[in-house]
Amino acid sequence: MDSTKNGFTINLAGTVSVVIGSSEGIGAAIAVGLAKAGSSVVCGGRDRERMAATIAAIAGAGGCGEAEIVDVREKESVGAFAAAVLARHEAATILVNSMGGTLIKPMAEVEVGEWDNLHQTHLRGTLLTCQAFFGAMRAGGYGKIINLSSLAGTRVSPRRGSYSVAKAGLDQLTRALAAEWGRYGIRVNAIAPSTTRTPRASAQLLREPQREADIVSRTPLGRLARPEDMVGPALFLASPLSDFVTGQTLAVDGGMLSSR
């Protein structure tokens, strides 16, 4: 998606965007969208080889991108990542937390290690990355943080309860950070997609064909979300257009929440 649509332009030239979880799917789409809008993008993740495709897409779109390794579950890794980014760029205007990972299992069968890994990624990881870039944003008096949540944070599907709990916590973390950091000019919001046709979700839907049909039947716009559907909302939240918006979780769901 281009940053220009219907004659309207979002210009993020001069900003630095950090997009964690950008090797594929929603994170990759947002990283490319931010670059097209003029932001210098740093992609963060655990696999440099997988992030290479996103960096290539950014370059193909005429943008500027680079990749850094980070494991958001580890405080030392997050600290080293933030230090490397800030040493090169001095500031980070935009932070996107798009860490993936789900768990499809009845609650009665969830192992402690599975529970911990899910929450370390979505909750602990998001807190650590936000803390790591807080100082630079506070010093600059401005920042935009965008967390990738899910409709699962407000509604629970069978065998996906653990994921729903993690995303509900992420929504509340978003509000908590917004309430405390607004005084420093830092806006913190979240995007909550409905089921999105990412590579990971597509593989799961092949194993559950009736689930896709059910989701589409309950979506007024009549299809699954695509990663590109999240780019416009992310650009809005990253830009000065949303400077009086903070502590919000924006559902991008084709109308699913309104249909029930």
PDB file of all heavy atoms in Angstrom, residues 4 11 15-16 26 34 45 57 62 66 72 86 129 140 144-145 147 156 161 163 176 182 189 212 242 260:
ATOM      1  N   THR A   4       0.150   7.258  -0.250  1.00  0.00           N
ATOM      2  CA  THR A   4      -0.745   8.223  -0.887  1.00  0.00           C
ATOM      3  C   THR A   4      -1.975   7.493  -1.404  1.00  0.00           C
ATOM      4  O   THR A   4      -1.874   6.533  -2.125  1.00  0.00           O
ATOM      5  CB  THR A   4      -0.042   8.921  -2.066  1.00  0.00           C
ATOM      6  OG1 THR A   4       1.130   9.545  -1.599  1.00  0.00           O
ATOM      7  CG2 THR A   4      -0.953   9.949  -2.701  1.00  0.00           C
ATOM      8  N   ASN A  11       3.486  11.805   5.208  1.00  0.00           N
ATOM      9  CA  ASN A  11       4.917  11.983   5.002  1.00  0.00           C
ATOM     10  C   ASN A  11       5.641  11.775   6.328  1.00  0.00           C
ATOM     11  O   ASN A  11       5.471  12.558   7.262  1.00  0.00           O
ATOM     12  CB  ASN A  11       5.204  13.379   4.442  1.00  0.00           C
ATOM     13  CG  ASN A  11       6.660  13.576   4.082  1.00  0.00           C
ATOM     14  OD1 ASN A  11       7.504  12.725   4.361  1.00  0.00           O
ATOM     15  ND2 ASN A  11       6.967  14.692   3.453  1.00  0.00           N
ATOM     16  N   THR A  15      11.913  10.580  10.110  1.00  0.00           N
ATOM     17  CA  THR A  15      11.655   9.742  11.282  1.00  0.00           C
ATOM     18  C   THR A  15      12.427   8.432  11.178  1.00  0.00           C
ATOM     19  O   THR A  15      12.828   8.004  10.097  1.00  0.00           O
ATOM     20  CB  THR A  15      10.151   9.419  11.413  1.00  0.00           C
ATOM     21  OG1 THR A  15       9.740   8.591  10.309  1.00  0.00           O
ATOM     22  CG2 THR A  15       9.318  10.695  11.439  1.00  0.00           C
ATOM     23  N   VAL A  16      12.612   7.800  12.310  1.00  0.00           N
ATOM     24  CA  VAL A  16      13.205   6.464  12.374  1.00  0.00           C
ATOM     25  C   VAL A  16      12.170   5.529  12.981  1.00  0.00           C
ATOM     26  O   VAL A  16      11.647   5.792  14.075  1.00  0.00           O
ATOM     27  CB  VAL A  16      14.488   6.452  13.234  1.00  0.00           C
ATOM     28  CG1 VAL A  16      15.016   5.029  13.378  1.00  0.00           C
ATOM     29  CG2 VAL A  16      15.557   7.359  12.620  1.00  0.00           C
ATOM     30  N   ILE A  26       2.106  -9.251   8.958  1.00  0.00           N
ATOM     31  CA  ILE A  26       1.707  -7.880   9.269  1.00  0.00           C
ATOM     32  C   ILE A  26       2.916  -6.994   9.544  1.00  0.00           C
ATOM     33  O   ILE A  26       2.995  -5.861   9.057  1.00  0.00           O
ATOM     34  CB  ILE A  26       0.741  -7.867  10.467  1.00  0.00           C
ATOM     35  CG1 ILE A  26      -0.582  -8.545  10.091  1.00  0.00           C
ATOM     36  CG2 ILE A  26       0.481  -6.442  10.935  1.00  0.00           C
ATOM     37  CD1 ILE A  26      -1.532  -8.750  11.259  1.00  0.00           C
ATOM     38  N   LEU A  34       5.856   1.948   6.142  1.00  0.00           N
ATOM     39  CA  LEU A  34       6.543   3.057   6.800  1.00  0.00           C
ATOM     40  C   LEU A  34       7.683   3.577   5.941  1.00  0.00           C
ATOM     41  O   LEU A  34       7.903   4.791   5.838  1.00  0.00           O
ATOM     42  CB  LEU A  34       7.062   2.610   8.164  1.00  0.00           C
ATOM     43  CG  LEU A  34       6.005   2.373   9.247  1.00  0.00           C
ATOM     44  CD1 LEU A  34       6.606   1.619  10.434  1.00  0.00           C
ATOM     45  CD2 LEU A  34       5.394   3.687   9.718  1.00  0.00           C
ATOM     46  N   GLY A  45      14.260  -8.802  14.783  1.00  0.00           N
ATOM     47  CA  GLY A  45      13.741 -10.161  14.873  1.00  0.00           C
ATOM     48  C   GLY A  45      14.845 -11.123  15.232  1.00  0.00           C
ATOM     49  O   GLY A  45      15.999 -10.733  15.412  1.00  0.00           O
ATOM     50  N   ALA A  57      12.301  -5.831   0.072  1.00  0.00           N
ATOM     51  CA  ALA A  57      11.047  -5.168  -0.331  1.00  0.00           C
ATOM     52  C   ALA A  57      11.108  -3.670  -0.053  1.00  0.00           C
ATOM     53  O   ALA A  57      10.618  -2.858  -0.852  1.00  0.00           O
ATOM     54  CB  ALA A  57       9.867  -5.801   0.396  1.00  0.00           C
ATOM     55  N   GLY A  62      12.113   1.763  -2.856  1.00  0.00           N
ATOM     56  CA  GLY A  62      12.860   3.020  -2.786  1.00  0.00           C
ATOM     57  C   GLY A  62      13.102   3.511  -1.384  1.00  0.00           C
ATOM     58  O   GLY A  62      13.503   4.668  -1.189  1.00  0.00           O
ATOM     59  N   GLU A  66      17.184  -1.570   7.405  1.00  0.00           N
ATOM     60  CA  GLU A  66      18.280  -2.381   7.923  1.00  0.00           C
ATOM     61  C   GLU A  66      17.715  -3.362   8.924  1.00  0.00           C
ATOM     62  O   GLU A  66      16.574  -3.199   9.384  1.00  0.00           O
ATOM     63  CB  GLU A  66      19.350  -1.506   8.574  1.00  0.00           C
ATOM     64  CG  GLU A  66      18.809  -0.673   9.726  1.00  0.00           C
ATOM     65  CD  GLU A  66      19.778   0.400  10.173  1.00  0.00           C
ATOM     66  OE1 GLU A  66      19.943   1.394   9.433  1.00  0.00           O
ATOM     67  OE2 GLU A  66      20.348   0.236  11.264  1.00  0.00           O
ATOM     68  N   VAL A  72      13.019 -10.616  22.028  1.00  0.00           N
ATOM     69  CA  VAL A  72      12.312  -9.728  22.959  1.00  0.00           C
ATOM     70  C   VAL A  72      12.043 -10.373  24.309  1.00  0.00           C
ATOM     71  O   VAL A  72      11.686  -9.681  25.269  1.00  0.00           O
ATOM     72  CB  VAL A  72      10.985  -9.215  22.345  1.00  0.00           C
ATOM     73  CG1 VAL A  72      11.245  -8.419  21.083  1.00  0.00           C
ATOM     74  CG2 VAL A  72      10.011 -10.361  22.090  1.00  0.00           C
ATOM     75  N   LEU A  86      20.070   3.121  18.569  1.00  0.00           N
ATOM     76  CA  LEU A  86      20.233   4.507  18.981  1.00  0.00           C
ATOM     77  C   LEU A  86      21.643   5.025  18.734  1.00  0.00           C
ATOM     78  O   LEU A  86      21.843   6.227  18.531  1.00  0.00           O
ATOM     79  CB  LEU A  86      19.851   4.654  20.457  1.00  0.00           C
ATOM     80  CG  LEU A  86      18.373   4.368  20.763  1.00  0.00           C
ATOM     81  CD1 LEU A  86      18.116   4.374  22.261  1.00  0.00           C
ATOM     82  CD2 LEU A  86      17.462   5.370  20.061  1.00  0.00           C
ATOM     83  N   THR A 129      10.682  -3.780  25.169  1.00  0.00           N
ATOM     84  CA  THR A 129      11.034  -2.924  24.032  1.00  0.00           C
ATOM     85  C   THR A 129      10.576  -1.485  24.262  1.00  0.00           C
ATOM     86  O   THR A 129      11.293  -0.540  23.936  1.00  0.00           O
ATOM     87  CB  THR A 129      10.429  -3.451  22.718  1.00  0.00           C
ATOM     88  OG1 THR A 129       9.007  -3.514  22.821  1.00  0.00           O
ATOM     89  CG2 THR A 129      10.977  -4.836  22.385  1.00  0.00           C
ATOM     90  N   GLY A 140      13.412  13.327  23.441  1.00  0.00           N
ATOM     91  CA  GLY A 140      12.970  14.058  22.258  1.00  0.00           C
ATOM     92  C   GLY A 140      11.609  14.706  22.422  1.00  0.00           C
ATOM     93  O   GLY A 140      11.191  15.490  21.567  1.00  0.00           O
ATOM     94  N   LYS A 144       5.855   7.597  19.001  1.00  0.00           N
ATOM     95  CA  LYS A 144       4.656   6.836  18.631  1.00  0.00           C
ATOM     96  C   LYS A 144       4.968   5.353  18.815  1.00  0.00           C
ATOM     97  O   LYS A 144       5.899   4.824  18.202  1.00  0.00           O
ATOM     98  CB  LYS A 144       4.272   7.106  17.170  1.00  0.00           C
ATOM     99  CG  LYS A 144       3.808   8.539  16.877  1.00  0.00           C
ATOM    100  CD  LYS A 144       2.525   8.858  17.639  1.00  0.00           C
ATOM    101  CE  LYS A 144       1.914  10.179  17.225  1.00  0.00           C
ATOM    102  NZ  LYS A 144       1.073  10.104  16.045  1.00  0.00           N
ATOM    103  N   ILE A 145       4.206   4.697  19.668  1.00  0.00           N
ATOM    104  CA  ILE A 145       4.339   3.258  19.877  1.00  0.00           C
ATOM    105  C   ILE A 145       3.058   2.589  19.405  1.00  0.00           C
ATOM    106  O   ILE A 145       1.956   3.011  19.773  1.00  0.00           O
ATOM    107  CB  ILE A 145       4.604   2.933  21.354  1.00  0.00           C
ATOM    108  CG1 ILE A 145       5.939   3.558  21.809  1.00  0.00           C
ATOM    109  CG2 ILE A 145       4.615   1.420  21.582  1.00  0.00           C
ATOM    110  CD1 ILE A 145       6.214   3.399  23.300  1.00  0.00           C
ATOM    111  N   ASN A 147       1.352  -1.193  19.158  1.00  0.00           N
ATOM    112  CA  ASN A 147       1.400  -2.602  19.514  1.00  0.00           C
ATOM    113  C   ASN A 147       0.394  -3.384  18.674  1.00  0.00           C
ATOM    114  O   ASN A 147      -0.733  -2.922  18.485  1.00  0.00           O
ATOM    115  CB  ASN A 147       1.082  -2.781  21.003  1.00  0.00           C
ATOM    116  CG  ASN A 147       2.087  -2.076  21.892  1.00  0.00           C
ATOM    117  OD1 ASN A 147       3.277  -2.042  21.592  1.00  0.00           O
ATOM    118  ND2 ASN A 147       1.617  -1.509  22.995  1.00  0.00           N
ATOM    119  N   VAL A 156     -13.100 -14.717  22.812  1.00  0.00           N
ATOM    120  CA  VAL A 156     -12.350 -15.961  22.954  1.00  0.00           C
ATOM    121  C   VAL A 156     -12.918 -17.028  22.031  1.00  0.00           C
ATOM    122  O   VAL A 156     -14.132 -17.237  21.979  1.00  0.00           O
ATOM    123  CB  VAL A 156     -12.394 -16.469  24.410  1.00  0.00           C
ATOM    124  CG1 VAL A 156     -11.598 -17.757  24.553  1.00  0.00           C
ATOM    125  CG2 VAL A 156     -11.863 -15.404  25.367  1.00  0.00           C
ATOM    126  N   GLY A 161      -7.704 -19.795  24.099  1.00  0.00           N
ATOM    127  CA  GLY A 161      -7.857 -18.983  25.292  1.00  0.00           C
ATOM    128  C   GLY A 161      -6.563 -18.369  25.784  1.00  0.00           C
ATOM    129  O   GLY A 161      -6.535 -17.215  26.231  1.00  0.00           O
ATOM    130  N   TYR A 163      -3.941 -17.444  24.102  1.00  0.00           N
ATOM    131  CA  TYR A 163      -3.607 -16.318  23.220  1.00  0.00           C
ATOM    132  C   TYR A 163      -4.507 -15.122  23.531  1.00  0.00           C
ATOM    133  O   TYR A 163      -4.040 -13.972  23.560  1.00  0.00           O
ATOM    134  CB  TYR A 163      -3.781 -16.762  21.771  1.00  0.00           C
ATOM    135  CG  TYR A 163      -3.472 -15.711  20.729  1.00  0.00           C
ATOM    136  CD1 TYR A 163      -2.167 -15.303  20.492  1.00  0.00           C
ATOM    137  CD2 TYR A 163      -4.490 -15.150  19.963  1.00  0.00           C
ATOM    138  CE1 TYR A 163      -1.877 -14.358  19.518  1.00  0.00           C
ATOM    139  CE2 TYR A 163      -4.217 -14.208  18.993  1.00  0.00           C
ATOM    140  CZ  TYR A 163      -2.912 -13.816  18.773  1.00  0.00           C
ATOM    141  OH  TYR A 163      -2.633 -12.879  17.804  1.00  0.00           O
ATOM    142  N   ALA A 176      -1.987   1.351  29.951  1.00  0.00           N
ATOM    143  CA  ALA A 176      -1.167   1.746  31.098  1.00  0.00           C
ATOM    144  C   ALA A 176       0.001   2.628  30.666  1.00  0.00           C
ATOM    145  O   ALA A 176       0.294   3.653  31.301  1.00  0.00           O
ATOM    146  CB  ALA A 176      -0.655   0.503  31.826  1.00  0.00           C
ATOM    147  N   GLY A 182       2.015   9.841  28.390  1.00  0.00           N
ATOM    148  CA  GLY A 182       1.468  10.949  27.616  1.00  0.00           C
ATOM    149  C   GLY A 182       2.113  12.280  27.979  1.00  0.00           C
ATOM    150  O   GLY A 182       2.315  13.142  27.121  1.00  0.00           O
ATOM    151  N   ASN A 189      -0.603   3.249  21.244  1.00  0.00           N
ATOM    152  CA  ASN A 189      -1.862   2.691  20.756  1.00  0.00           C
ATOM    153  C   ASN A 189      -1.639   1.260  20.264  1.00  0.00           C
ATOM    154  O   ASN A 189      -0.504   0.787  20.177  1.00  0.00           O
ATOM    155  CB  ASN A 189      -2.415   3.548  19.610  1.00  0.00           C
ATOM    156  CG  ASN A 189      -2.837   4.928  20.078  1.00  0.00           C
ATOM    157  OD1 ASN A 189      -3.840   5.084  20.758  1.00  0.00           O
ATOM    158  ND2 ASN A 189      -2.062   5.953  19.708  1.00  0.00           N
ATOM    159  N   GLU A 212     -12.193 -20.859   8.394  1.00  0.00           N
ATOM    160  CA  GLU A 212     -12.129 -19.719   7.473  1.00  0.00           C
ATOM    161  C   GLU A 212     -13.526 -19.352   6.973  1.00  0.00           C
ATOM    162  O   GLU A 212     -13.894 -18.172   6.940  1.00  0.00           O
ATOM    163  CB  GLU A 212     -11.222 -20.015   6.287  1.00  0.00           C
ATOM    164  CG  GLU A 212     -11.188 -18.871   5.285  1.00  0.00           C
ATOM    165  CD  GLU A 212     -10.146 -19.040   4.198  1.00  0.00           C
ATOM    166  OE1 GLU A 212      -9.309 -19.957   4.303  1.00  0.00           O
ATOM    167  OE2 GLU A 212     -10.165 -18.237   3.246  1.00  0.00           O
ATOM    168  N   SER A 242      -2.471  11.583  14.165  1.00  0.00           N
ATOM    169  CA  SER A 242      -3.065  10.951  15.356  1.00  0.00           C
ATOM    170  C   SER A 242      -2.442  11.470  16.646  1.00  0.00           C
ATOM    171  O   SER A 242      -2.461  10.771  17.668  1.00  0.00           O
ATOM    172  CB  SER A 242      -2.879   9.429  15.279  1.00  0.00           C
ATOM    173  OG  SER A 242      -1.503   9.098  15.218  1.00  0.00           O
ATOM    174  N   ARG A 260     -22.009  -8.634  15.720  1.00  0.00           N
ATOM    175  CA  ARG A 260     -22.541  -9.494  16.774  1.00  0.00           C
ATOM    176  C   ARG A 260     -22.702  -8.721  18.060  1.00  0.00           C
ATOM    177  O   ARG A 260     -21.970  -7.781  18.306  1.00  0.00           O
ATOM    178  CB  ARG A 260     -21.602 -10.688  17.035  1.00  0.00           C
ATOM    179  CG  ARG A 260     -21.496 -11.614  15.826  1.00  0.00           C
ATOM    180  CD  ARG A 260     -20.672 -12.826  16.137  1.00  0.00           C
ATOM    181  NE  ARG A 260     -21.330 -13.679  17.134  1.00  0.00           N
ATOM    182  CZ  ARG A 260     -20.847 -14.879  17.490  1.00  0.00           C
ATOM    183  NH1 ARG A 260     -19.738 -15.331  16.957  1.00  0.00           N
ATOM    184  NH2 ARG A 260     -21.479 -15.597  18.386  1.00  0.00           N
TER     185      ARG A 260
END
